[in-house]
Amino acid sequence: MKLHIIMHESFEAPGAIETWAKHKNHEITYTRLYDGSTLPQNGGDIDFLIVMGGPQSPATTKEECPHFDAKKEIEFIKKAIDDGKIVLGVCLGAQLIGEALGAKFDHSPNREIGVFLYT
C-alpha cells in the first residue's frame, strides 16, 4: 500500500502510524509543509492519505502561517476522498477532512496541548 503523510510542523510527526506502516512494508511518502514541500500533483499515486495535526486551524490564513494553505489542502483531501482513497486525520487533519466533507469546525473553549508522559 502507498501511504502519503502530510505534516504541518516538525513536532507533529506520525509516530506510531509511521512505525506501523514500516512494519507492514508499506511505501511512505511525505509532504512536509513546514519545509516548503508541496502536495503531490493530481492527487498523487497513493492509496492512503494521512493528515497530521498542527497549531493551525482551517481558518488560518497564509498571512498567519505562510507555509499553510488551508483551501488548497482541503481541495487535495476532497479529491482523495472522491477518488476512494483511505483518509485519516489527526487533530487538525480531522478538522480539514470535516471541511472537505462540508462540515464546519469550531474553536474549543479550552486550550488543548496534547498528552505528556512523565517518568
Side-chain angles (χ1 to χ4, degrees):
M1 186 178 334
K2 296 179 182 180
L3 280 69
H4 186 77
I5 301 172
I6 299 174
M7 296 172 58
H8 301 98
E9 302 296 341
S10 62
F11 54 84
E12 293 286 350
I17 296 169
E18 185 179 54
T19 301
W20 167 82
K22 288 179 179 178
H23 178 74
K24 295 290 186 178
N25 294 315
H26 295 312
E27 181 181 326
I28 309 170
T29 56
Y30 302 85
T31 297
R32 292 179 175 93
L33 295 171
Y34 60 90
D35 272 348
S37 61
T38 57
L39 298 169
Q41 295 293 316
N42 302 318
D45 180 24
I46 62 173
D47 303 305
F48 190 163
L49 175 63
I50 300 165
V51 187
M52 296 306 302
Q56 303 87 346
S57 81
T60 300
T61 65
K62 294 278 289 169
E63 291 75 28
E64 295 170 315
C65 185
H67 68 266
F68 178 67
D69 186 339
K71 183 178 178 186
K72 187 174 182 179
E73 191 169 337
I74 290 166
E75 289 171 1
F76 183 83
I77 293 166
K78 176 79 168 109
K79 179 169 179 19
I81 292 167
D82 290 346
D83 289 347
K85 310 296 183 188
I86 302 165
V87 181
L88 171 68
V90 177
C91 196
L92 170 62
Q95 294 174 358
L96 295 170
I97 291 168
E99 291 278 323
L101 292 170
K104 297 297 173 198
F105 84 99
D106 198 1
H107 292 282
S108 172
N110 301 307
R111 184 165 174 83
E112 296 179 34
I113 308 271
V115 177
F116 293 90
L117 299 177
Y118 298 95
T119 58

